[in-house]
Amino acid sequence: MEAATQFPGSAGTLGRHLARRLVEIGVRDVFSVPGDFNLTLLDHLIADPDLNLVGCCNELNAGYAADGYARSKGVGACVVTFTVGGLSVINAIAGAYSENLPVVCIVGGPNSNDYGTNRILHHTIGLPDFSQELRCFQTITCFQAVVNNLEDAHEQIDTAISTALKESKPVYVSISCNLPGIPHPTFSRDPVPFFLAPKVSNQQGLEAAVEATAEFLNKAVKPVIVGGPKLRFAKAQKAFLEFANASGYPIACMPSGKGLVPEHHPHFIGTYWGAVSTSFCGEIVESADAYVFIGPIFNDYSSVGYSLLIKKEKAVIVQPNRVTIGNGPSLGWVFMADFLTALSKKVKKNGAALENYRRIYVPPGIPLKREKDEPLRVNVLFKHIQEMLSGDTAVIAETGDSWFNCQKLHLPENCGYEFQMQYGSIGWSVGATLGYAQAAKDKRVIACIGDGSFQVTAQDISTMIRSGQRSIIFLINNGGYTIEVEIHDGPYNVIKNWDYTRFVEAIHNGEGKCWTAKVRTEEDLTEAIATATGAQKDSLCFIEVFAHKDDTSKELLEWGSRVAAANSRPPNPQ
């Protein structure tokens, strides 16, 4: 047997173990904001040659960056300080929880000698109780480790990180500020790689689910497939493709499943989003006599204010670990990838719905011809963004009208696509762009961000420049929170206008590569895109696009009025 790797003196420390463990699971960049309780820990992370520390302007953005990083790499990490940092990052960690992203949130905690005393510490609310931060994290992480003694530190850290990977959810790890540099025998060798036992379906349940589903689908006249956001968590994209090819059914995706379903597939028919679906896609799905929803989340936003014309008795709902067939059986401990692979062998090919789609399909209209020097319209902007997409790009869509405009982009093979539909936190995309671009260095990220959202988290453009990133950011300046205007308008939806390009230039301050442009017409846009993809292809490119405040996608208008109706339902009579 190979001898354990021994390390002299200070090598076998908690700080070194944590750094090696992060590297071993695939983290190469850690997003951080320093604070006095985490400084010694940061020294140990920096000391690892395979780890790069990315200092962010605030904790919220560090959390969003870890979220974006996890979307590309499969796991992300951030380091903040006790309570003031922890409660600041909490919104981003809640967002990662909602999207099933394994993010390791590490907090530098109080000196281990202060636990169990009645001392009052700084960075707290002035009570001798250090559990406030922990209690806040309990509802938005799948495991919490408070490491305040070295005896069980190894176990606590490894349990937290392995749980994040198994559950595909964030975890909270608090490490006392005086522990990272102390050697301990439990850390005397490199961490042994985790062995995460594969989840194996209950064989009888799997066979019963496949049999019942095959019978249900093989009786149907025009069945369809709709892919949802939990495909990522279930790691079932390959099995999804197998089932799609074997069945011959048309493939749609839910809005939150965009980027997880192959749009270059010949059976792809668009986004199913009820009343705001891609043209002809909604009609084909809702008129089907059987639909297979794979990894869906039906919330008020994805159901357009609960207005989907979907009947439960016609639906097969495939969740990551359960299959429910119509109003009939529901079988648990049946895992999505196993189920789809097995179902592929039993399902009869049926292209009826696809043939019908091709029969009724009329290509979408093209934006109307414009006058010379006419102000740029949003639909023209997205026509040009569509032409920029390839397998070497990724799209990040901010919460707001960019959801609807980016949803209409047709993604080429291997083109990344990310947005945060379940949590819908405005400002998410600035940090997420930073994190995704840091992880996916082979892709050029194209981010579409509204002015209102940008103002929430703008300062981490600074970190993008400092990290030498070359993303292209389209800042859509239309003077307000457009998505909220369409749900319920009021003076609070109008924001103070900034000179966005000069703001970015002030942050750039002559250090690093950054290029900005203001765009008012289609000619300006063509020129800006040519520069961003040509002479400035290695720079961070920030393009401010001026749009009329009422120039929205037609989908947002329809969706906004339906969501407003759902929000304003009167109380049920008591």
Side-chain angles (χ1 to χ4, degrees), residues 376-427:
L376 183 66
R377 295 195 304 274
V378 170
N379 54 25
V380 175
L381 165 66
F382 279 88
K383 183 185 81 166
H384 285 273
I385 292 176
Q386 176 68 68
E387 288 160 8
M388 297 170 74
L389 302 186
S390 72
D392 299 324
T393 58
V395 176
I396 304 250
E398 177 56 88
T399 300
D401 197 23
S402 290
W403 271 2
F404 300 88
N405 289 309
C406 292
Q407 195 65 229
K408 291 186 275 192
L409 294 171
H410 189 74
L411 304 180
E413 189 169 2
N414 294 326
C415 178
Y417 186 91
E418 298 296 344
F419 74 140
Q420 194 199 44
M421 180 145 203
Q422 175 57 42
Y423 200 57
S425 182
I426 66 169

Side-chain angles (χ1 to χ4, degrees), residues 477-500:
N477 182 348
N478 53 13
Y481 298 118
T482 306
I483 190 167
E484 292 171 20
V485 167
E486 301 311 333
I487 295 173
H488 182 99
D489 202 5
Y492 31 76
N493 287 329
V494 178
I495 59 173
K496 167 84 178 70
N497 190 29
W498 293 3
D499 186 335
Y500 292 96

